[in-house]
Amino acid sequence: MHLEHLWTQPGRGSDGTIADKITDFAAVIFDMDGVVTDTAGVHAAAWKALFDQSLPRISIEQAPFDMEQDYRTFVDGRTREDGVRTFLASRGITLPEGSTNDGPTQLTVNGLAARKQGFFNAELDSDSVKVFADALALLRALLAEQVPVALVTSSRNSGAVLDSAGIADLFPIRVDGTDAVRMALPGKPDPAMFLEAARRLQVAPADAVVIEDAAAGVKAGITGQFGLVVGVDRTGTREQLAAAGADVVVEDLADLRPKLLGLVAHKDASWSGGAKVGTPGTWNLVYDRFDPAQEGTREALCTLGNGYWATRGTVPGSTADGVHYPGTYLAGIYNRLRTELYGRTVETEHLVNAPDWAFLNVQAEGGLILRPGIAEMLSHHQDLDLRRGILTRTNRYRDTAGRTTRVTSQQFHSLAEPHLAALEVTLEAEDWSGEVTVRSAINGAVANRNVAADRALAHEHLVPTGCTELDRETVIYESTTNQSGITIATAIRTDVKAGGTVVDRQIIRENTSVGHEITLSLKRGTPATVEKTAAVATSRDRAVSTAALEVGFRIDRAPAFEVLLADHERTWAELWDRFGIQ
């Protein structure tokens, strides 16, 4: 049936056409299986291999797993663990949950989930992933119109699948099974993963289209109150999709394309360093492409601060060059310098560029340092949430050894604790296991060089005066302004949280830099999180003995990242509420 025969069907209480429900759409969210890439067959084969081997060990009277009926009804669109539970429950079987450390030979829910992953990897290696031509055409048309898109999938293999399909760079925003585990998001038919995608896209669910091929996914879209939920019938599942509540069911996305593009709101991406414009009321600056020519503007626009100090939105680990300019500034910290210029003395005063607390880079063993702009980068996404004061980046890389790595960071200056700032970096080796080196330091080799007209003037304002390692996670760097005599003390604490095993940790102690070099062992598909908390104090602060003692006290009592972030978000929310700004 063609779309024009379906589009006029009432949807969810509408008195007219589906198009009457909303004037335009701001974003489109795709499900992966059977819509953008044909992974359903790979998954179904992996599930069949799993249960055909496992069921006889559990109950010899069980019928084999059916790749059509059982797959679509009980496991499609669900996480591995939920798929195991739901299918076994349909057979009246209950297994112990076990733990996430269970191996593939153990007869537990987690053990069978781990075993399924092995079968999936084997199927993926043997079968090339197919890209549906109609879905690819729609996706490219949306991107050409600057329409934000996202991918939602319960699979923890999204990186490998998209790479195999050759379309990883088309989805800078992705919510997958790895995110679901990390963020404790329930799987479909719960709408949590779709709602997280809408949050990252910075659109209200009512302004987004969901395109799904599974009944569980359609139910999730309906429950999440998305503006339009499209069911895609690739395998004769029209009745199931319609029964689940799809506003429209199509067999070919080519039918959907003209209608959908006619409803999508056109966005202007030419302003603010190339930022995407969100829906009315959005508080976000979003960048989906790395552009060296725009990076200086973006760094300035994405500056984070809290009134006591601020940091430009520079990629962590950068140093001043033709593209990047790290800058950290503290209120009231000025310094005067004299320059002999054209036979006369010029005296200028600057707000001092303080030591860079956010310096952190990542390097896989034998590879390059992973930073935006290198040839190995696959995709880039940057999002400044102005309402919460949080800067988020997600970058994916594939090196010459074929290793794909995703690096996600969150950064903020605490509004609840003005002397503190924090950076959380999550590393995921998507298709490999091995070691990475994380270099986390305070970089004191900074100067005031960002204004082109002033580059002939003296710009070195700081003199290093000391560095201290407080413990195996914490260091302090001290410097003093060379004219005004103000001491600046910066402390950082670098802590490895879940996912990674610390193989080695060495102190970095140089004249203008102090920190730690940490070697981590990563497991394929298991995210590792590094938390970096910073504190700063100066000799201008009131009621302090020394800046170094004060900053040591502040870093010692600084809470974990998630606690500091929650306090920060709550304080911003209270301010917006107090001033009535919506």
Side-chain angles (χ1 to χ4, degrees), residues 128-139:
S128 61
V129 176
K130 173 185 175 183
V131 181
F132 288 115
D134 58 339
L136 185 59
L138 174 60
L139 179 61

Side-chain angles (χ1 to χ4, degrees), residues 219-280:
K219 290 178 182 177
I222 297 298
T223 304
Q225 298 183 4
F226 283 81
L228 180 67
V229 180
V230 178
V232 185
D233 174 19
R234 302 279 191 194
T235 57
T237 55
R238 175 178 296 276
E239 292 184 2
Q240 290 176 305
L241 296 170
D247 294 309
V248 59
V249 179
V250 299
E251 296 176 5
D252 191 328
L253 289 176
D255 293 336
L256 180 67
R257 181 176 168 184
K259 289 285 187 179
L260 187 58
L261 290 178
L263 291 174
V264 173
H266 291 266
K267 305 303 177 186
D268 178 10
S270 63
W271 72 290
S272 301
K276 287 190 174 181
V277 182
T279 54

Side-chain angles (χ1 to χ4, degrees), residues 150-333:
L151 182 78
V152 169
T153 174
S154 298
S155 172
R156 295 172 205 172
N157 305 286
S158 61
V161 171
L162 293 176
D163 287 341
S164 179
I167 57 172
D169 61 329
L170 300 183
F171 285 106
I173 295 180
R174 189 172 81 230
V175 181
D176 61 13
T178 300
D179 295 309
V181 172
R182 177 173 57 86
M183 302 175 67
L185 301 176
K188 307 168 190 177
D190 192 284
M193 295 181 72
F194 281 122
L195 293 173
E196 173 61 17
R199 186 190 71 78
R200 296 185 189 183
L201 287 166
Q202 301 306 325
V203 300
D207 293 333
V209 178
V210 167
I211 299 179
E212 257 284 358
D213 78 321
V218 168
K219 290 178 182 177
I222 297 298
T223 304
Q225 298 183 4
F226 283 81
L228 180 67
V229 180
V230 178
V232 185
D233 174 19
R234 302 279 191 194
T235 57
T237 55
R238 175 178 296 276
E239 292 184 2
Q240 290 176 305
L241 296 170
D247 294 309
V248 59
V249 179
V250 299
E251 296 176 5
D252 191 328
L253 289 176
D255 293 336
L256 180 67
R257 181 176 168 184
K259 289 285 187 179
L260 187 58
L261 290 178
L263 291 174
V264 173
H266 291 266
K267 305 303 177 186
D268 178 10
S270 63
W271 72 290
S272 301
K276 287 190 174 181
V277 182
T279 54
T282 188
W283 286 73
N284 295 70
L285 286 176
V286 179
Y287 305 95
D288 277 340
R289 297 289 186 272
F290 181 75
D291 185 349
Q294 298 276 15
E295 190 63 12
T297 300
R298 296 177 182 184
E299 288 180 356
L301 291 172
C302 292
T303 295
L304 300 168
N306 57 20
Y308 179 81
W309 61 321
T311 300
R312 280 171 59 90
T314 313
V315 176
S318 300
T319 55
D321 54 27
V323 176
H324 304 288
Y325 184 79
T328 298
Y329 305 94
L330 292 90
I333 306 302

Side-chain angles (χ1 to χ4, degrees), residues 484-509:
S484 54
I486 302 170
T487 298
I488 303 171
T490 306
I492 58 169
R493 181 181 68 213
T494 307
D495 187 19
V496 178
K497 294 298 186 181
T501 301
V502 178
V503 177
D504 188 31
R505 181 191 285 261
Q506 298 292 331
I507 182 73
I508 302 168
R509 194 190 300 270

Side-chain angles (χ1 to χ4, degrees), residues 44 102 355 383 406:
D102 285 358
D383 182 345
R406 177 159 47 164

